[in-house]
Amino acid sequence: MAKAVLDALGARFGAAILATSSHHGDDVAIVKRDALADIARFLRDDPAMAFNLPCYCTCVDYLGLDGMAPSAGTVPTGYASRTRGEGAGLPDARFAMIYELRSLVHGHRVRLKVPLMEDDLVVPTLSELWPAFNWLERETYDMYGVSFSGHPDLRRIYMYEEFVGYPLRKDYPKERRQPLVRREWSDE
Amino acid sequence: MGLEIATTKLEDAANWGRKFSLFTYPFVTACCGMEFMSVAAPKYDIARFGAEFPRFSPRQSDLLMIVGTITERQGPVLKRVYDQMAEPKWVIAFGVCASTGGFYQNYSAMPGADQVIPVDVYIPGCPPRPEQVLDAIILLMKRVQEGRGHSQVRHKREQIARAGG
């Protein structure tokens, strides 16, 4: 049923849709960042789409994997081997934003993936379209360092202001702690 | 000499009173709180040891129970709560997270509450059984009577320093 969503996206946005897959009704569209705002607005406002429930947004760090590399013609490894048919994308995109949308009107859902390069980690905010994305985008910024252009209040949401770095990136060492306060052990 | 014996005995009497009237401040942050409630409820009944009355103000309590994981972000808060408590005071780390950080080894969890404030008794377990908690309270009562709580020792040390010893 929801394959119609992917077909409509492909028909309307063409080259901005890098790849789609529909595995057991799990509809995924990998889209270009520059078209994300338009696609999101279309998905929300078009009566046949009517995606009125933003389930979540988050980010994935593909460090050490093949990123969203094309799988055609080569032996699929890493990310490409785990999600068959989603190979097309930016060959060395390290990050991917993921948006999960659902329509309570039509009962269908779709997942958007936006490949992002490490040196250009900017994506347009969707919090204007769905206010629920406001805090989720702040969390993604807090944990992965993705910055959202146009976001009304882009601050850390979980970690303290003094915190340096982005803890859910794969290259953040798990032992590294950034204490706010420690005591002197001589007082006992 | 006579005065010293008298003050020592007075301290003993005060400690005897203190150990049977521990007023708890439960600093509950995580799932160990359920076990704390179980200890406080009639089945295990912490009241039998005179510690039945949780005071939710640090200024009215003398036993700080750190129940659950402490994150780095909570460190300043915990320190402040501890500093607000009147002397003499005691601290129990309830559960393995408060004692050592437990199974958390990451950017946010503090490796034990004793990174920030001194702790008298550590209770292992994830979460500890209520019996362990009662055991810890009995152990703490023993220490209170003997004057071996961290703030009692500190106080004694300060007295000696002031006396020029």
Side-chain angles (χ1 to χ4, degrees):
Chain A
M1 170 177 127
K3 191 78 163 60
V5 175
L6 296 181
D7 293 341
L9 280 179
R12 191 177 169 96
F13 293 98
I17 311 294
L18 295 168
T20 62
S21 74
S22 183
H23 188 63
H24 287 286
D26 199 16
D27 293 334
V28 181
I30 300 181
V31 306
K32 276 188 184 163
R33 179 186 61 186
D34 299 337
L36 176 67
D38 292 337
I39 291 172
R41 189 170 289 280
F42 167 73
L43 289 175
R44 187 190 69 158
D45 293 340
D46 190 274
M49 303 290 121
F51 284 95
N52 53 3
L53 180 69
C55 295
Y56 65 83
C57 80
T58 185
C59 185
V60 179
D61 184 355
Y62 292 111
L63 183 71
L65 300 175
D66 278 355
M68 304 181 87
S71 56
T74 57
V75 179
T77 55
Y79 172 74
S81 69
R82 282 181 290 113
T83 51
R84 198 181 296 270
E86 292 183 2
L90 292 173
D92 26 318
R94 177 176 162 188
F95 295 93
M97 277 300 297
I98 296 178
Y99 299 90
E100 182 91 24
L101 304 172
R102 181 167 166 77
S103 168
L104 297 178
V105 181
H106 303 297
H108 54 208
R109 59 171 74 220
V110 72
R111 184 179 306 138
L112 303 178
K113 293 190 180 180
V114 185
L116 293 171
M117 310 297 284
E118 188 176 359
D119 52 1
D120 188 21
L121 263 183
V122 186
V123 79
T125 181
L126 300 188
S127 60
E128 308 287 332
L129 298 174
W130 293 283
F133 275 149
N134 187 321
W135 284 10
L136 288 167
E137 288 181 345
R138 279 179 64 188
E139 180 188 354
T140 310
Y141 164 73
D142 195 356
M143 295 291 151
Y144 292 94
V146 180
S147 64
F148 295 85
S149 57
H151 193 284
D153 184 26
L154 195 60
R155 289 179 293 130
R156 286 191 181 275
I157 189 168
Y158 284 132
M159 305 312 293
Y160 31 96
E161 285 174 13
E162 296 87 344
F163 196 85
V164 179
Y166 303 102
L168 286 195
R169 286 191 181 186
K170 294 291 183 213
D171 53 3
Y172 187 92
K174 74 179 195 301
E175 303 86 8
R176 182 187 294 167
R177 297 207 170 75
Q178 303 187 26
L180 285 174
V181 57
R182 285 288 187 263
R183 75 185 169 102
E184 292 177 20
W185 287 75
S186 59
D187 63 351
E188 275 174 284
Chain B
M1 182 71 191
L3 185 68
E4 264 174 37
I5 289 173
T7 51
T8 316
K9 291 295 150 196
L10 189 65
E11 188 71 16
D12 274 353
N15 284 341
W16 182 85
R18 283 166 184 156
K19 77 171 179 178
F20 287 122
S21 66
L22 292 168
F23 280 66
T24 314
Y25 178 85
F27 192 89
V28 179
T29 56
C31 38
C32 274
M34 306 311 290
E35 291 300 317
F36 177 78
M37 293 170 211
S38 165
V39 181
K43 184 166 182 186
Y44 292 96
D45 199 9
I46 207 171
R48 290 180 289 159
F49 306 94
E52 79 264 45
F53 211 27
R55 310 301 305 200
F56 294 102
S57 159
R59 293 174 199 277
Q60 297 171 356
S61 49
D62 48 19
L63 171 58
L64 175 59
M65 273 218 186
I66 307 162
V67 187
T69 323
I70 303 297
T71 59
E72 295 289 0
R73 196 175 179 173
Q74 279 171 327
V77 180
L78 182 62
K79 174 118 178 62
R80 187 160 189 177
V81 166
Y82 174 80
D83 287 342
Q84 282 178 333
M85 291 168 65
E87 303 263 342
K89 51 195 170 187
W90 297 275
V91 180
I92 285 182
F94 188 119
V96 76
C97 287
S99 302
T100 67
F103 54 68
Y104 294 106
Q105 187 188 11
N106 59 21
Y107 58 94
S108 66
M110 183 181 291
D114 58 2
Q115 301 284 324
V116 173
I117 58 173
V119 174
D120 286 302
V121 180
Y122 300 85
I123 310 175
C126 182
R129 292 280 312 165
E131 292 90 337
Q132 289 176 267
V133 182
L134 299 180
D135 194 30
I137 286 181
I138 293 167
L139 180 64
L140 181 69
M141 286 164 71
K142 199 168 155 229
R143 292 209 177 166
V144 173
Q145 177 66 70
E146 293 168 358
R148 292 200 289 134
H150 75 272
S151 71
Q152 292 166 302
V153 171
R154 185 166 58 201
H155 180 65
K156 229 172 278 170
R157 216 177 268 162
E158 282 166 5
Q159 268 185 330
I160 294 171
R162 227 176 291 134

